[in-house]
Amino acid sequence: MGRIAFDEDLKGFRLAYMKDGAADDIGPCGFFWLGGYKSEMTGTKAENLADLARATRRNFFRFDYSGHGQSDGLFIDGTISDWLEQATHMFLRHTQNPRIIVGSSMGGWLALLLTRRLLKEDPLAARRIAGLVLIAPATDMTKELMWDEFDRDARTALVETGVFRRPSAYGEPYPITLRLLEDGTQHLLLEEGISLPVPVRILQGSADTDVPPAHAVKTFEAITATDLTLSFIKDGDHRLSTAVQLRIIQETVLQLALRADGVRY
């Protein structure tokens, strides 16, 4: 495992990050990880990609958003704007070579937002994005998977108290704030759509109840790209953490990296 280091974002939060594998400035196409909502950079899928980076002598960069893992801040204070700003800061500051951006759940939404932002604001940096791998992408989750799905009690709690504590199959209930949902409206892209000049791979578990398969189809339909595929993994849940599922993720990411290297297969 790589050594944990810290960087400071524009708001002064110390953000924990790790680099695995080869040196960034001399290796082939590397990987850039964007984790999910309330996940940590040391999760199973991220560790699996770190193993792949070391085995193929590539650089792998991962970090914890504010309020996540070992980074500063409170989870309840975070917004999509904050985490997108941090993803942008980390990509620009800590990567130099071409990258496959791998986004899981909320990280899939952030991967799309990061790419759209760089294409508009920093085209030179955007050229280093060699492809996207979106794992059960929770695109527009604050609207599509939260507010639109909440019952009257949840909406009442949000309006009256500013927070709803949503039960979770992965541990203690986690807080969803009205501030998070309102901020998310600035970043919705399913209706508007997004055009991407890079290959995109969407991997979706067919038994995912957190980000349903139908939502992956919405993301697929919202993306305009000449090289775009959506693959369903039979009986896969939201975690996609079995040995076979992890190998599928590795193979998908490596295939795009090899293409960026100019390797024919």
Side-chain angles (χ1 to χ4, degrees):
M1 181 182 293
R3 180 178 59 87
I4 296 177
F6 292 88
D7 189 9
E8 190 171 290
D9 73 355
L10 298 178
K11 290 188 176 181
F13 286 118
R14 284 200 334 146
L15 302 178
Y17 70 88
M18 299 173 67
K19 292 185 178 182
D20 297 273
D24 176 39
D25 56 348
I26 62 172
C29 179
F31 316 136
F32 184 85
W33 173 257
L34 292 171
Y37 189 63
K38 216 175 189 302
S39 68
E40 300 183 10
M41 65 177 174
T42 54
T44 302
K45 290 188 288 293
E47 289 292 344
N48 184 62
L49 288 177
D51 290 341
L52 177 63
R54 287 188 286 268
T56 59
R57 298 182 180 179
R58 299 172 186 275
N59 183 267
F60 176 49
F61 184 89
R62 46 182 162 157
F63 75 101
D64 284 329
Y65 312 115
S66 60
H68 291 67
Q70 299 190 51
S71 290
D72 286 350
L74 298 175
F75 175 75
I76 199 170
D77 292 336
T79 64
I80 300 301
S81 291
D82 291 335
W83 299 328
L84 174 59
E85 189 66 44
Q86 291 162 12
T88 305
H89 170 79
M90 289 299 201
F91 185 84
L92 295 177
R93 186 179 180 96
H94 293 285
T95 69
Q96 301 177 53
N97 64 345
R99 294 280 159 156
I100 305 301
I101 298 181
V102 187
S104 176
S105 195
M106 181 184 75
W109 183 17
L110 288 173
L112 292 170
L113 293 174
L114 171 62
T115 304
R116 182 174 69 175
R117 179 174 185 176
L118 292 180
L119 285 169
K120 180 179 180 180
E121 299 179 5
D122 194 338
L124 189 61
R127 290 178 61 184
R128 294 194 291 105
I129 300 175
L132 301 180
V133 176
L134 311 178
I135 305 169
T139 316
D140 294 6
M141 70 176 195
T142 50
K143 175 183 182 297
E144 297 276 332
L145 303 175
M146 292 179 175
W147 180 259
D148 288 356
E149 296 295 321
F150 286 165
D151 60 20
R152 179 182 297 178
D153 290 343
R155 292 186 177 188
T156 298
L158 280 162
V159 172
E160 293 183 352
T161 69
V163 63
F164 165 60
R165 297 191 179 278
R166 187 178 194 176
S168 171
Y170 311 112
E172 294 295 320
Y174 54 82
I176 296 173
T177 65
L178 186 61
R179 180 169 174 259
L180 172 73
L181 303 189
E182 290 177 339
D183 175 80
T185 62
Q186 303 176 56
H187 304 288
L188 302 179
L189 54 75
L190 286 178
E191 184 174 343
E192 178 183 346
I194 182 172
S195 180
L196 298 173
V198 298
V200 182
R201 302 288 179 264
I202 302 174
L203 300 177
Q204 174 69 42
S206 68
D208 190 337
T209 57
D210 296 293
V211 179
H215 193 75
V217 175
K218 286 185 178 182
T219 298
F220 176 83
E221 295 293 346
I223 297 173
T224 300
T226 58
D227 187 356
L228 166 66
T229 65
L230 166 59
S231 301
F232 288 105
I233 300 175
K234 184 69 174 177
D235 297 328
D237 62 12
H238 192 57
R239 295 186 178 188
L240 291 180
S241 57
T242 69
V244 171
Q245 293 160 359
L246 292 172
R247 186 165 65 248
I248 290 171
I249 293 171
Q250 280 191 340
E251 290 171 349
T252 303
V253 174
L254 183 58
Q255 184 183 67
L256 290 187
L258 289 170
R259 179 182 298 186
D261 295 338
V263 176
R264 299 185 65 179
Y265 48 86

